[in-house]
Amino acid sequence: MQTQTAQFNRLSPSLEQNKHWSVAEIETLFKLPFADLLYRAQQTHREHFDPNAVQLSTLLSIKSGGCSEDCGYCPQSAFHSTGVENKKMLDVATVVQAARTAQQNGAGRFCMGAAWREPGDEDMRSVLEMVKAVRDLGMETCATLGMLSEDHVEQLREAGLDYYNHNLDTAPEFYGEIITTRDYQDRLDTLERVRKAGINLCSGGIVGMGESLTQRAGLIAQLANLNPYPESVPINNLVRVEGTPLENAEELDPLDFVRTIAVARITMPRARVRLSAGRQQMSDAVQALCFLAGANSIFYGEQLLTTGNPEMERDRALLDKLGMYPFKDTRI
Ligand code: SAM
Ligand code: DTB
Ligand code: SF4
């Protein structure tokens, strides 16, 4: 696989004034004839990006299981019996070795995830060391640690964290049916603190949790109307894990997943839209449609946090088959 360095997307979304999107306008996009929607998404995509370049992020769970939040989709919540053990945090050397391996395999960004409602001060000390060490390898760094205080945001900024992932997950109207241990405003507050500190935002959501089309449009409206909208937008297809309240959620029509990607691309033209969880269950054809709809980032590596992801061989073969190549963002 060849690597292409940044020639496109030189401008951060923060340099442009957001258009305000109503939920109704976004719902209208969702209802466009499929070909019209994809054509519009592809046009938008080509205005801002090399359409054949895809950004590769590798995830590592640095602290798994036993989380005190009750997120209905999540195998790591202590409220659900999923067989995921409550493990202690990985040590710094193990994390750096995993990052080195990810880099050798072609990933440009390394994302460290922890099953926390929020990190404690002691946890932060190790996380900061990890961020600095991974950054020293020359990789982009991302962390997802739950809610953050201003102090913790500041420490991450000083350590040089490039991206903070914190998802809105779904529309405000549906949120209470999925999570009861924190509210939507808590999530928005953390995003605001991260944004203020100048750390790039990675924020998206999950589809296929039984939300209505209006609620799916409501999630996209929340993200697109953040001013500025996130630099990185992961769109996850629910991974239905046995033992979670959503284990029997009705499977989303794959074409509706593709539509969600297209609508994210149109409403957040300069964001990196990530085709995130749920790829293992997706055919190559559906993934190709997602790329056509404007997805230009994937999680790369055999494991997400606790569930599987396509093998790297399969991903390399897919990209080759589509004439696509990894893209490395330059540090903003
Ligand atoms: N605990 C932190 C938090 O919730 O922000 C960080 C880790 S948490 C696992 C990160 C994200 O993973 C969640 O916000 C959710 O969007 C996604 N996620 C978790 N379980 C999932 C599942 N079963 N299917 C799809 N996405 C999932
Ligand atoms: C995101 O939006 N998706 C990733 C990452 N951010 C942290 C997590 C997906 C988790 C899927 C379930 C699991 O593997 O536990
Ligand atoms: Fe905890 Fe994050 Fe899972 Fe929610 S999504 S239970 S906060 S690890």
Side-chain angles (χ1 to χ4, degrees), residues 56-277:
L56 306 181
S57 286
T58 293
L59 259 179
L60 178 70
S61 181
I62 60 167
K63 161 69 187 84
S64 305
C67 183
S68 61
E69 302 273 11
D70 69 352
C71 312
Y73 47 77
C74 186
Q76 306 202 67
S77 166
F79 288 80
H80 321 317
S81 304
T82 59
V84 173
E85 278 174 60
N86 182 358
K87 294 204 187 126
K88 66 176 179 43
M89 191 173 7
L90 298 181
D91 59 46
V92 178
T94 306
V95 173
V96 177
Q97 186 47 47
R100 206 173 275 122
T101 304
Q103 188 177 38
Q104 282 158 3
N105 285 326
R109 189 179 304 170
F110 191 68
C111 180
M112 294 157 270
W116 290 323
R117 173 179 167 77
E118 65 219 321
D121 291 345
E122 193 57 35
D123 304 323
M124 279 303 284
R125 272 188 271 283
S126 308
V127 171
L128 297 172
E129 269 190 68
M130 291 169 191
V131 170
K132 286 184 199 147
V134 174
R135 198 182 151 86
D136 284 348
L137 298 177
M139 296 187 88
E140 287 189 319
T141 53
C142 178
T144 181
L145 315 168
M147 295 185 278
L148 294 181
S149 66
E150 267 181 29
D151 280 356
H152 289 165
V153 170
E154 188 47 32
Q155 289 165 8
L156 288 167
R157 191 194 60 76
E158 272 173 25
L161 184 75
D162 294 298
Y163 288 82
Y164 193 71
N165 168 244
H166 199 60
N167 291 337
L168 288 178
D169 281 337
T170 191
E173 299 73 26
F174 190 55
Y175 194 82
E177 291 183 40
I178 305 292
I179 301 153
T180 69
T181 49
R182 56 161 194 261
D183 56 33
Y184 215 73
Q185 193 56 46
D186 293 329
R187 295 245 126 186
L188 291 169
D189 290 347
T190 292
L191 292 179
E192 180 64 25
R193 286 182 200 118
V194 172
R195 177 54 91 202
K196 266 204 198 134
I199 298 172
N200 291 301
L201 276 193
C202 172
S203 186
I206 311 179
V207 292
M209 298 196 292
E211 72 283 351
S212 66
L213 180 59
T214 309
Q215 288 163 341
R216 206 169 298 144
L219 164 68
I220 302 291
Q222 285 289 329
L223 294 166
N225 291 332
L226 291 172
N227 206 353
Y229 57 74
E231 281 78 11
S232 175
V233 178
I235 304 292
N236 296 280
N237 199 4
L238 175 71
V239 181
R240 292 169 298 165
V241 178
E242 211 181 311
T244 62
L246 290 176
E247 66 175 313
N248 295 317
E250 195 180 330
E251 195 179 340
L252 188 72
D253 182 327
L255 296 182
D256 286 333
F257 185 81
V258 177
R259 281 179 182 274
T260 311
I261 298 268
V263 172
R265 166 54 63 222
I266 293 166
T267 55
M268 293 171 274
R270 289 180 189 277
R272 225 153 243 294
V273 174
R274 184 172 306 124
L275 160 53
S276 303

